[in-house]
Amino acid sequence: MVDIHNKNDGGPGKSEPLDFGTDDFVLDDFFAAAKAEAPQPSDDLMSRIMADADAVAAERAAAVSTRVRTPRRNGLLRAALAALGGWGAVAALSTAAVAGVGVGLSSPDTLYDLSSLYLGTSAELSYSIEDVTPGYFEFLEEG
Amino acid sequence: MPLDALPDASDEALLVAFGNGNTDAARVLTGRLTPRALGYSTRLLRDRAEAEDVVQEAMLRLWKIAPDWRQGEAKISTWLYRVVSNLCTDRLRRRRNVSIDAIAEPEDERPGAEEQLTQAARMKALDAALAQLPERQRQAVVLRHIEGVSNPEIAAIMEISTEAVESLTARGKRALAQALAGKRAELGYSNG
């Protein structure tokens, strides 16, 4: 049996019964016991927690590498673009191609007029929109 | 973060380092946080296996939110205690829905007639008395008086005011004292 009288020692010779209902220090005794007996994590628990951490880190690393690799899905298109010099070069090439189609549609006479004018071989020559877009005026008349 | 700096780094710095892929930082954090979380969950659940599962789940959630952790908003220990509280509450609710016969009786908490009132016996008596408290009172008392958490931090964990924490712990302690007083003889105290 444990005699708790002396726990509430107010001085030599004093010994009063403790009241479990009001004496904080008795409870503190129990709290101290609980702190001293705090459960310690097992190695197994620590390993499980670290395995989770490793898995989450690996999953995150995989997600990051997938995000980096995603543009490679259009690898052929990107390689062609890079070979041509990027989107700017493609735009210039497209313009040239459209101009080429326009030139192709024009009649040889028109081409002669244009080149003569440009080279200055005939000062009287001039050209109108009809020269480079045959049928332009007919189109306007027909609506 | 260099390896030798890890032990001195704050919890937040370690979590950020883990978010950036440093698993050594996770190892240090695990060593720091797991014992506290396990102590708390064990007191609430009184079942070691369940308490371990709760801690593992809470730590897994911590690993997952690492990249999104906003520094300076909350302490990691506060966040972890809150998650552990919620997970324990869920389990306790589920238990209530299970037949009382399905729950294993805890080990005999009464010390033998000749047994002295050792620390272990006191702890068991306290555990039994804690189990009688309403859940919120039990959380507040365990955090304050066993885990040693400050009242403002408990208020943050339980998402209540500091005054409400003080009220919960005061009522909890009164109830504990009464429960332990009723077991005076069983605990081997003499009062004469």
Side-chain angles (χ1 to χ4, degrees):
Chain A
M1 296 289 270
V2 175
D3 186 350
I4 59 174
H5 285 87
N6 291 330
K7 288 192 170 186
N8 204 17
D9 201 352
K14 286 197 171 181
S15 179
E16 293 172 10
L18 286 171
D19 183 349
F20 268 73
T22 56
D23 282 304
D24 263 359
F25 105 92
V26 177
L27 273 184
D28 289 344
D29 232 18
F30 283 86
F31 291 139
K35 282 179 195 170
E37 295 284 328
Q40 293 305 307
S42 62
D43 290 343
D44 174 59
L45 175 63
M46 299 299 260
S47 303
R48 275 154 56 197
I49 291 172
M50 271 317 296
D52 284 343
D54 290 338
V56 169
E59 201 174 293
R60 199 174 295 136
V64 168
S65 101
T66 305
R67 275 202 298 277
V68 170
R69 266 190 272 111
T70 301
R72 291 185 194 164
R73 278 186 209 149
N74 299 324
L76 195 59
L77 176 61
R78 291 205 168 261
L81 272 176
L84 291 171
W87 282 111
V90 170
L93 278 173
S94 304
T95 307
V98 170
V101 170
V103 169
L105 285 173
S106 305
S107 67
D109 288 344
T110 306
L111 200 60
Y112 173 75
D113 289 347
L114 287 173
S115 60
S116 299
L117 186 67
Y118 179 74
L119 296 171
T121 52
S122 173
E124 290 83 23
L125 282 174
S126 64
Y127 69 93
S128 70
I129 194 159
E130 179 74 2
D131 294 326
V132 286
T133 52
Y136 176 75
F137 291 114
E138 286 84 350
F139 174 75
L140 284 183
E141 282 166 12
E142 287 169 12
Chain B
M1 188 181 294
L3 265 177
D4 55 357
L6 290 176
D8 301 323
S10 69
D11 291 351
E12 279 197 327
L14 289 170
L15 191 62
V16 170
F18 173 70
N20 291 326
N22 185 340
T23 49
D24 289 319
R27 202 169 303 280
V28 177
L29 262 184
T30 301
R32 273 187 206 173
L33 299 174
T34 303
R36 291 155 74 183
L38 182 66
Y40 181 48
S41 61
T42 305
R43 300 273 172 237
L44 296 186
L45 294 170
R46 300 183 75 210
D47 181 308
R48 177 65 186 244
E50 268 200 289
E52 288 196 353
D53 288 347
V54 160
V55 173
Q56 187 182 0
E57 172 64 27
M59 292 298 287
L60 177 60
R61 291 186 188 190
L62 182 65
W63 305 141
K64 285 183 174 172
I65 56 122
D68 305 319
W69 185 266
R70 283 186 285 187
Q71 291 196 62
E73 278 201 1
K75 280 172 71 178
I76 290 171
S77 58
T78 303
W79 181 92
L80 189 66
Y81 274 130
R82 190 184 304 151
V83 172
V84 169
S85 298
N86 292 339
L87 290 171
C88 287
T89 299
D90 289 346
R91 283 179 181 253
L92 290 169
R93 279 189 191 139
R94 256 180 273 150
R95 266 190 211 170
R96 271 180 230 131
N97 297 329
V98 177
S99 161
I100 195 122
D101 297 331
I103 302 170
E105 262 313 294
E107 285 174 27
D108 185 7
E109 282 133 13
R110 290 177 302 168
E114 284 78 41
E115 189 183 346
Q116 292 211 325
L117 191 62
T118 59
Q119 279 199 333
R122 286 176 183 166
M123 189 202 72
K124 283 183 179 178
L126 179 65
D127 269 351
L130 279 170
Q132 305 303 313
L133 295 185
E135 198 178 315
R136 301 284 281 175
Q137 279 183 28
R138 182 159 72 242
Q139 287 179 4
V141 168
V142 171
L143 286 169
R144 182 76 193 97
H145 295 288
I146 300 178
E147 296 300 317
V149 180
S150 70
N151 280 348
E153 192 177 350
I154 297 171
I157 292 165
M158 299 181 73
E159 298 178 290
I160 55 177
S161 67
T162 309
E163 291 75 22
V165 172
E166 286 166 1
S167 167
L168 279 174
T169 50
R171 279 184 284 145
K173 280 177 74 177
R174 249 195 324 271
L176 277 183
Q178 282 165 6
L180 291 170
K183 292 189 170 184
R184 190 176 302 159
E186 295 174 28
L187 292 171
Y189 280 98
S190 73
N191 200 24

